[in-house]
Amino acid sequence: MSIAQLDDSHEFPHPNHALVEPNGLLAFGGDLSAERLKVAYNEGIFPWYSPYEPPLWWSPDPRAVLIPGELHTGRTLRRFIRKHTYQITVNYAFDEVIYNCAQRQEGTWIGSAVQRGYQTLHKEGLAHSIEVWHERQLVGGLYGVSVGTLFCGESMFSKMENASKCAFVAFYYHFLRHGGQLFDCQVLNHHTESLGARNIPRGEFLQYLYQLRAQSLQPNCWSAQLLDLQLPPKD
């Protein structure tokens, strides 16, 4: 089965047309303009490809999500949070966060075109970063895209112990307090699974998406601010 080549219209095939192998590959080509990215995320589609290749667009089945109330924090992470010295902020240093995510040693898909696309989304108030600071140095963080009351996580990095996990735990409670209802983790991996993410069928994810994309968070959710890193209730 062939996959669609995108044109200048910003239209995508329905996610149900994605390939089974490789899982979720839906289309190729196009650009990473803010307009195309907005259309993609509103339809449950995201880009992921190696630099120097044409953009590849995905909507895997199953889809990894973290449902509110299912965050998992083990005893080791709890002990770390109890004695932490990190400061955690939202939307203080988006460009620095995405740059650091692109520098991870295991390689990256976050080339310069990808960075520019998400930086534009950030300027439009749709892409956001969470930063972890230690002695005024950026030591971890994550970034992603908000679609109504759904947050689509894209990438995270750590330069110190548990930095990205602390970023997520602080953001998790902040997002829920402001009306957030679902976290999209895209593809399950060891890191997200350890925090409680699990797979659901793509059709179920799309039902969530179509409902949540029309809803709104409280208006101050994404204002630049310091976040509390509170000790979660016992799982």
Side-chain angles (χ1 to χ4, degrees), residues 72-84 161-162 165-166 231 235:
H72 173 73
T73 52
R75 284 182 293 179
T76 300
L77 182 57
R78 289 174 180 279
R79 285 197 299 269
F80 186 89
I81 291 174
R82 191 175 290 114
K83 63 180 183 179
H84 83 93
E161 183 182 5
N162 288 324
K165 286 187 176 182
C166 287
L231 192 64
D235 302 313

Side-chain angles (χ1 to χ4, degrees), residues 37-206:
L37 286 170
K38 284 186 280 189
V39 172
Y41 279 93
N42 272 278
E43 297 299 330
I45 300 162
F46 59 88
W48 181 47
Y49 63 101
S50 299
Y52 314 113
E53 292 181 350
L56 301 177
W57 301 88
W58 304 78
S59 185
D61 186 13
R63 187 78 167 225
V65 299
L66 178 62
I67 295 172
E70 296 188 4
L71 176 69
H72 173 73
T73 52
R75 284 182 293 179
T76 300
L77 182 57
R78 289 174 180 279
R79 285 197 299 269
F80 186 89
I81 291 174
R82 191 175 290 114
K83 63 180 183 179
H84 83 93
T85 58
Y86 293 150
Q87 286 189 315
I88 301 176
T89 57
V90 57
N91 281 339
Y92 265 63
F94 183 89
D95 291 357
E96 290 86 346
V97 168
I98 195 170
Y99 174 81
N100 277 277
C101 286
Q103 306 306 309
R104 295 185 306 178
Q105 291 183 355
E106 64 267 29
T108 184
W109 63 278
I110 309 172
S112 57
V114 174
Q115 292 183 51
R116 288 193 299 270
Y118 286 94
Q119 285 165 346
T120 302
L121 275 189
H122 174 65
K123 292 174 182 176
E124 294 189 11
L126 296 174
H128 308 282
S129 60
I130 311 300
E131 303 89 15
V132 182
W133 308 88
H134 179 70
E135 297 181 351
R136 298 187 178 182
Q137 298 296 313
L138 183 66
V139 297
L142 62 90
Y143 78 95
V145 177
S146 59
V147 183
T149 55
L150 166 69
F151 183 80
C152 306
E154 280 299 322
S155 188
M156 55 178 57
F157 78 97
S158 288
K159 293 183 178 181
M160 292 185 66
E161 183 182 5
N162 288 324
S164 62
K165 286 187 176 182
C166 287
F168 185 80
V169 170
F171 170 64
Y172 171 90
Y173 289 105
H174 173 79
F175 187 63
L176 296 188
R177 284 195 301 269
H178 289 79
Q181 298 191 53
L182 188 68
F183 300 87
D184 172 24
C185 303
Q186 299 179 347
V187 177
L188 197 65
N189 59 39
H190 174 74
H191 191 73
T192 54
E193 188 173 23
S194 72
L195 289 168
R198 59 181 172 91
N199 282 327
I200 62 173
R202 179 172 58 215
E204 183 177 344
F205 170 76
L206 292 176

